Amino acid sequence: MRAESEQTRDRMIRTALELFTEHGYEGASIQMIATAMGLSKAAVSYHFRTKEDLLAAVAEPAFTDLQRFLDEAEAEPGRAARWRMAVRGYVSLLVKHRGLLTLLEQDPIAAASPVVSEKMERFAERIRLLFGEESMTPEDQVYLAVALGGLRNAAAWFPSFPDTELNQYLLSAAERILGRTAPRARR
């Protein structure tokens, strides 16, 4: 019974992401999600008391993966190796979670929700430091922000590309764009 409940919960999360993306976070209701799944509103509310709880559940896999990635990358010895791992890992995460990125790109209300924005702010600082922001000139810091943001946006803009193809294209772009900020031999 527990496995069935987890499967239902996972389906709710996937359905919520689809409907939040299609109708916007405010435009998609708990009832709409329940109807799409052939369930009652009470069944969805049993798993998620509020729509914000559901949004948090939609975003949680990405945050868990991001936490793991940052912990591993920050532990990587050597700046150049850490930088290479950071580029590959960042691109892989963007591709894996591009559905969530699409939602956050298209829906500023979802992106501004405290269950998303507060975690994003904490992770953003770690991402910038991972790519070496503290040792960069202000100009390179701006360049890094534009590059990382552009990669994030590009992951959301091409939903029809297969994951492996998008990963390849983003990695190629990341290596060209971020090559300017890559650690130099003396670093």
Side-chain angles (χ1 to χ4, degrees), residues 104-124:
L104 300 177
E105 165 98 4
Q106 294 174 355
D107 192 335
I109 294 171
S113 170
V115 299
V116 173
S117 65
E118 290 171 8
K119 286 188 177 184
M120 290 298 289
E121 286 175 27
R122 287 196 315 265
F123 284 127

Side-chain angles (χ1 to χ4, degrees), residues 93-110:
L93 284 173
L94 294 175
V95 172
K96 181 177 182 181
H97 297 290
R98 63 179 157 160
L100 176 63
L101 292 173
T102 299
L103 168 63
L104 300 177
E105 165 98 4
Q106 294 174 355
D107 192 335
I109 294 171

Side-chain angles (χ1 to χ4, degrees), residues 15-28:
T15 302
L17 177 57
E18 290 171 16
L19 293 176
F20 288 164
T21 302
E22 183 178 342
H23 300 284
Y25 176 64
E26 284 197 334

Side-chain angles (χ1 to χ4, degrees), residues 69 85-94 127 131 148 151-152:
F69 156 69
M85 180 182 187
V87 170
R88 286 183 180 85
Y90 185 71
V91 166
S92 292
L93 284 173
L94 294 175
I127 290 168
F131 282 95
L148 294 176
L151 291 167
R152 186 180 59 244

Side-chain angles (χ1 to χ4, degrees), residues 21-48:
T21 302
E22 183 178 342
H23 300 284
Y25 176 64
E26 284 197 334
S29 66
I30 296 287
Q31 181 62 57
M32 190 182 273
I33 294 162
T35 300
M37 294 183 65
L39 299 172
S40 68
K41 182 177 178 180
V44 176
S45 296
Y46 171 80
H47 292 276
F48 304 100

Side-chain angles (χ1 to χ4, degrees), residues 140-151:
D140 281 344
Q141 288 176 10
V142 170
Y143 185 90
L144 176 66
V146 170
L148 294 176
L151 291 167

